[in-house]
């Protein structure tokens, strides 16, 4: 019996667990209810008196040995498990790269298209005052056209608001620069609208402004035709419909031929063959004067478009909210563009 215990001591001494599971099995094998040590304690009763002392000491030594083995190894697995999760030396898999947001892709594309004909980018603040958002743009207080854009005002100071369009940057740019002016102003805008598939309280616009001597409506039309062809393809046609904006006279809304049915009529274009993309017009002389530009010497055109709208048409997205939810399954589809 004693011989057998000594053999086991040797076995335990040599034991090095390779996993947490192995260590656990080891503990059960020796210390468990039906484990080896318990059996030994039971057979201790049958040991003759003269052997009791040595046998007892051997069992106790074995028990301590088992316990210290467990103690020695139990932390090493925890640390190993933790450190394998944060192995800083591991190579990063290259199959999961991020991608640009579709709104950024379209904004960059619009900027590039207009860059090629000399427009440079300018920006303005998102928190604006009444003057830059409305009054300077020929929309004085009580003007009914203010209702065209449901604006977020700061309750304690109705002069301060979240800009409802990027036309504000026109005013800032004209104040700071002399003609000739060719500028493009992309940015975020805010409106108090219920969120739906077609509207959001935050969205993005690009504003364009061109001021020089004898700029005409024909220049505006040609500029927008160039943009539509670059953006939607060489065969794209445009159509201008008379409209109203306080800051332009005359004003127009621009449609492009539907790139889904090539103008034949489908449910996206509601069988009209055309889709609206922007508002535009000749800058009202009052706006030029408000911004310190001589309206007798200079004329110009302006236009404003929603980036989400262009992105929806270009990528065939039918719900505007997708651009704001940032679901990776949606965003991933733009990673190769
Ligand atoms: N600011 C207008 C809007 O948000 C869009 C717009 C229309 C901008 C005509 C212009 C313009 O510069 O000339 O609805």
């Amino acid at each position: 019996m004693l011989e057998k215990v000594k053999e086991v001591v040797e076995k335990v001494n040599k034991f090095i667990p390779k996993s947490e599971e192995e260590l656990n099995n080891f503990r059960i094998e020796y210390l468990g209810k039906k484990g080896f040590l318990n059996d030994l304690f039971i057979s201790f009763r049958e040991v003759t008196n003269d052997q009791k002392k040595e046998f007892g000491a051997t069992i106790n030594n074995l028990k301590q040995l088992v316990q210290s083995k467990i103690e020695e190894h139990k932390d090493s697995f925890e640390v190993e498990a933790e450190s394998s999760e944060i192995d800083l030396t591991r190579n990063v898999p290259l199959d999961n790269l991020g991608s640009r947001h579709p709104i950024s892709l379209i904004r960059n594309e619009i900027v590039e298209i207009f860059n090629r004909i000399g427009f440079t980018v300018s920006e303005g603040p998102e928190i604006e005052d009444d003057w830059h958002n409305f009054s300077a743009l020929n929309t004085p207080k009580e003007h009914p056209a203010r209702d065209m854009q449901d604006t977020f005002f700061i309750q304690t100071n109705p002069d301060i608001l979240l800009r409802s369009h990027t036309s504000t940057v026109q005013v800032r740019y004209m104040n700071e620069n002399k003609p000739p002016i060719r500028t493009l102003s992309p940015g975020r805008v805010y409106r108090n609208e219920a969120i739906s598939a077609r509207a959001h309280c935050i969205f993005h616009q690009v504003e364009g402004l061109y001021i020089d001597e004898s700029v005409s409506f024909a220049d505006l039309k040609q500029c927008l035709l160039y943009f539509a062809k670059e953006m939607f393809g060489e065969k794209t046609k445009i159509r201008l419909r008379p409209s109203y904006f306080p800051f332009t006279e005359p004003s127009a809304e621009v449609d492009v031929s539907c790139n889904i049915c090539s103008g034949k009529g489908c449910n996206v274009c509601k069988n009209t063959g055309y889709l609206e993309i922007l508002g535009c017009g000749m800058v009202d002389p009052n706006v030029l004067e408000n911004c310190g530009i001589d309206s007798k010497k200079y004329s110009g055109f302006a236009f404003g478009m929603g980036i989400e709208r262009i992105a929806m048409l270009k990528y065939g997205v039918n719900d505007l909210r997708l651009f704001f939810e940032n679901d990776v399954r949606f965003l991933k589809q733009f990673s190769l563009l």
Side-chain angles (χ1 to χ4, degrees):
M1 188 68 154
L2 206 56
E3 273 315 295
K4 180 152 191 242
V5 177
K6 278 183 184 155
E7 251 171 51
V8 173
V9 168
E10 207 152 296
K11 197 174 143 202
V12 170
N13 254 329
K14 281 190 196 146
F15 173 73
I16 299 173
K18 286 187 205 67
S19 65
E20 203 170 1
E21 195 188 351
E22 223 177 272
L23 183 66
N24 211 26
N25 290 341
F26 171 83
R27 188 182 53 77
I28 294 165
E29 185 183 344
Y30 290 96
L31 302 179
K33 253 197 185 146
K34 292 182 184 150
F36 185 74
L37 275 156
N38 247 357
D39 286 351
L40 273 186
F41 281 116
I42 292 166
S43 46
F44 182 71
R45 289 179 218 137
E46 285 137 37
V47 172
T48 53
N49 273 352
D50 58 322
Q51 283 196 333
K52 267 214 161 92
K53 198 172 168 202
E54 197 188 349
F55 195 78
T58 315
I59 303 179
N60 274 334
N61 280 347
L62 177 60
K63 192 178 177 187
Q64 272 171 18
L65 186 64
V66 170
Q67 281 169 337
S68 65
K69 269 276 163 184
I70 294 171
E71 201 56 32
E72 180 187 337
H73 290 287
K74 82 168 200 264
D75 287 348
S76 62
F77 292 116
E78 269 169 31
V79 170
E80 219 166 78
E82 254 172 40
S83 64
S84 69
E85 266 169 42
I86 49 158
D87 179 2
L88 299 177
T89 63
R90 265 174 60 184
N91 288 335
V92 179
L94 289 177
D95 57 349
N96 205 8
L97 291 177
S99 55
R100 283 206 194 285
H101 193 281
I103 295 301
S104 299
L105 290 172
I106 293 291
R107 187 206 42 215
N108 293 348
E109 198 172 339
I110 297 171
V111 167
E112 266 168 37
I113 291 171
F114 282 102
N115 252 333
R116 296 204 278 277
I117 52 170
F119 283 74
T120 54
V121 170
S122 57
E123 281 176 348
E126 290 174 23
I127 301 174
E128 264 295 5
D129 52 30
D130 186 283
W131 173 255
H132 291 92
N133 200 79
F134 290 123
S135 301
L137 290 164
N138 213 22
T139 324
K141 288 220 161 72
E142 318 306 334
H143 194 294
R146 285 193 175 210
D147 290 346
M148 287 165 79
Q149 300 171 2
D150 221 337
T151 311
F152 286 115
F153 290 94
I154 306 294
Q155 211 169 20
T156 48
N157 183 354
D159 191 45
I160 307 294
L161 47 86
L162 295 176
R163 68 178 178 192
S164 57
H165 53 179
T166 41
S167 304
T168 53
V169 191
Q170 279 190 31
V171 180
R172 291 184 175 273
Y173 198 86
M174 283 192 273
N175 275 328
E176 283 155 25
N177 298 275
K178 290 198 166 16
I181 287 172
R182 255 176 293 179
T183 190
L184 200 70
S185 318
R188 201 180 290 152
V189 298
Y190 301 82
R191 287 188 200 176
N192 188 11
E193 305 239 14
I195 296 169
S196 72
R198 318 190 89 238
H200 208 289
C201 53
I202 304 174
F203 57 103
H204 300 80
Q205 284 189 332
V206 174
E207 186 79 13
L209 179 68
Y210 183 33
I211 311 280
D212 205 344
E213 285 177 39
S214 53
V215 175
S216 71
F217 201 90
D219 298 322
L220 167 62
K221 209 174 146 187
Q222 199 56 36
C223 175
L224 295 177
L225 179 62
Y226 156 78
F227 166 72
K229 283 175 182 282
E230 292 292 302
M231 189 54 139
F232 296 106
E234 185 52 36
K235 293 206 176 98
T236 310
K237 286 189 239 152
I238 62 169
R239 173 171 91 173
L240 275 74
R241 281 177 290 106
S243 185
Y244 172 78
F245 298 102
F247 29 89
T248 42
E249 184 58 39
S251 304
E253 274 169 326
V254 177
D255 302 338
V256 289
S257 51
C258 177
N259 56 348
I260 291 165
C261 62
S262 312
K264 287 187 202 81
C266 66
N267 55 0
V268 175
C269 60
K270 299 200 185 91
N271 286 320
T272 61
Y274 280 90
L275 296 156
E276 186 195 323
I277 57 159
L278 56 83
C280 64
M282 300 307 291
V283 179
D284 192 298
N286 286 342
V287 176
L288 294 177
E289 295 296 336
N290 283 340
C291 301
I293 289 179
D294 182 355
S295 63
K296 302 227 163 46
K297 188 166 176 206
Y298 293 106
S299 59
F301 62 73
F303 55 87
M305 66 184 103
I307 301 182
E308 280 79 1
R309 174 132 191 100
I310 306 283
M312 285 170 90
L313 298 180
K314 178 118 179 175
Y315 297 139
V317 174
N318 58 12
D319 192 326
L320 189 119
R321 289 168 291 198
L322 288 164
F323 294 120
F324 298 91
E325 285 163 2
N326 287 329
D327 185 326
V328 280
R329 290 168 300 181
F330 174 69
L331 297 180
K332 260 187 185 165
Q333 299 176 74
F334 302 92
S335 62
L336 294 175
L337 298 176

